[in-house]
């Protein structure tokens, strides 16, 4: 079993594993609501909308994380404001912000004579470069995400299934939506330097979507999604070590593969259940029809 344990005896792979586990838990908390509310496009737009802040931070020698937080705040405020415009659909507003922020980021990068911003690292991340201080920040981000999820669970639940009822219950759906956007931004900011903006949706969407057919509650989806994300992290790092592939991309690809396996297994389970509970004469009729 040396092939299974050998990669994780190396310190930087151990840090990558812990970083991936923490990111998986954060993404499970935010990604569950993204899947339930059909907000995948918003997640993609917000992840790419981080580029201007990251580019400015790199250009002036600042902290990339601070730049990412600033861009996430701008995106959250922009989506919230445009969502209140009655003549503009939410998808249109998100699309405009997506293109605008991405274009601004590319303009900032093009103005840099030394191209200080590493676009490859921004787009694809580097899970193997996780430092000890990154783990501390991820742990704090997980605590913040967990606190928001617990305190806002009732409002988020009403917002996901019946926004009108949320208003009736006095849960302030607009505020809940803004807080939910903040939670999504937190997950993306915490994850982008681990797996990159192009791959962050793999951990944000695939594990909750894979957990959905098997869980009986929203909390169950979150727990199972965190476990599946952790499994994808462990398996992705293991495969990356032995196959020599990009670690972040391998983790993300494995997360997506688990989604497809989950839904195939779920379909097989439903078919078997229907056959077991089908009336005896139905099975006989089917056999006669096939033979004829």
């Amino acid at each position: 079993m040396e092939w299974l344990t050998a990669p994780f005896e190396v310190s930087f792979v151990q840090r990558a594993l812990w970083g991936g586990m923490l990111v998986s838990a954060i993404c499970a908390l935010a990604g569950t609501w993204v899947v339930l509310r059909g907000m995948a496009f918003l997640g993609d737009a917000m992840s790419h909308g981080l580029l201007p802040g990251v580019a400015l931070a790199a250009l002036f020698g600042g902290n990339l994380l601070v730049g990412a937080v600033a861009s996430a705040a701008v995106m959250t405020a922009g989506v919230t404001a445009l969502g209140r415009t009655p003549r503009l659909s939410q998808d249109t507003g998100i699309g405009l912000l997506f293109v605008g922020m991405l274009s601004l980021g590319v303009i900032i990068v093009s103005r840099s004579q030394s191209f200080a911003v590493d676009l490859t690292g921004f787009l694809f991340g580097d899970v193997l470069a996780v430092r000890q201080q990154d783990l501390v920040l991820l742990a704090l981000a997980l605590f913040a995400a967990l606190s928001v999820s617990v305190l806002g669970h009732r409002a988020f639940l009403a917002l996901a299934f019946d926004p009108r009822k949320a208003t009736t219950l006095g849960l302030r759906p607009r505020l809940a939506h803004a807080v939910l956007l903040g939670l999504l931004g937190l997950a993306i900011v915490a994850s982008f330097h681990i797996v990159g903006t192009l791959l962050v949706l793999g951990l944000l969407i695939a594990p909750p979507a894979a957990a959905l057919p098997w869980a009986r509650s929203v909390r169950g989806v979150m727990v199972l999604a965190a476990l599946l994300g952790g499994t994808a992290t462990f398996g992705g790092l293991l495969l990356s070590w032995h196959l020599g592939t990009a670690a972040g991309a391998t983790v993300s690809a494995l997360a997506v593969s688990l989604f497809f396996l989950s839904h195939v297994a779920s379909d097989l389970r439903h078919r078997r259940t229907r056959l077991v509970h089908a009336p005896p004469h139905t099975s006989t009729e089917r056999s006669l029809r096939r033979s004829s």
Side-chain angles (χ1 to χ4, degrees):
M1 298 294 287
E2 185 179 352
W3 66 273
L4 188 63
T5 59
F8 302 100
E9 293 175 357
V10 182
S11 58
F12 68 85
V13 181
Q14 291 175 3
R15 290 194 297 272
L17 178 61
W18 279 110
M21 294 290 186
L22 291 169
V23 165
S24 297
I26 297 169
C27 286
L29 293 171
T32 297
W33 300 113
V34 171
V35 171
L36 289 176
R37 297 197 62 202
M39 296 164 56
F41 178 57
L42 175 59
D44 189 27
M46 289 193 69
S47 64
H48 287 80
L50 301 184
L51 181 57
V54 172
L56 283 173
L59 190 61
F60 293 105
N63 190 309
L64 299 185
L65 189 60
V66 173
V69 170
S71 281
V74 171
M75 283 291 295
T76 300
V79 171
T80 303
L82 290 175
R84 296 177 181 178
T85 305
R87 295 184 181 180
L88 191 67
S89 69
Q90 187 177 29
D91 282 348
T92 302
I94 293 170
L96 290 172
L97 279 171
F98 176 18
V99 175
M101 292 290 281
L102 188 60
S103 300
L104 179 60
V106 174
I107 290 171
I108 294 170
V109 171
S110 67
R111 291 291 298 171
S112 172
Q113 298 299 322
S114 60
F115 290 95
V117 180
D118 183 3
L119 283 179
T120 303
F122 173 77
L123 294 174
F124 302 105
D126 190 359
V127 67
L128 297 178
V130 174
R131 301 165 298 176
Q132 197 68 37
Q133 52 265 43
D134 293 328
L135 295 179
V136 175
L137 290 174
L138 286 173
L140 293 173
L142 176 58
F143 177 76
L146 188 60
S147 300
V148 171
S149 298
V150 171
L151 294 174
H153 181 80
R154 187 163 173 260
F156 295 161
L157 196 62
L159 189 65
F161 295 104
D162 194 347
R164 288 178 297 181
K165 189 175 182 180
T167 304
T168 305
L169 295 173
L171 295 175
R172 304 178 67 181
R174 287 186 177 181
L175 177 60
H177 182 67
V179 174
L180 186 56
L181 290 179
L183 178 62
L184 176 58
L186 174 64
I188 291 171
V189 168
S191 308
F192 89 93
H193 69 294
I194 303 295
V195 291
T197 56
L198 284 180
L199 304 176
V200 68
L201 287 182
L203 287 179
L204 192 66
I205 296 177
L212 209 56
W214 306 95
R216 296 185 177 181
S217 67
V218 174
R219 291 188 180 91
V221 174
M222 291 178 176
V223 172
L224 185 54
L227 293 174
L228 289 172
T231 301
T233 299
F234 179 85
L237 290 173
L238 185 66
L239 289 173
S240 172
W241 177 273
H242 290 293
L243 299 179
T245 55
T250 307
V251 170
S252 184
L254 187 55
V256 175
S257 300
L258 290 176
F259 160 76
F260 286 110
L261 288 174
S262 170
H263 279 263
V264 168
S266 177
D267 288 342
L268 292 175
R269 183 188 65 170
H270 286 305
R271 289 180 185 179
R272 183 178 179 183
T273 302
R274 285 198 298 267
L275 289 174
V276 169
H277 294 286
H281 63 84
T282 304
S283 301
T284 306
E285 288 175 1
R286 287 177 181 170
S287 300
L288 290 174
R289 287 175 185 172
R290 289 174 183 174
S291 61
S292 60

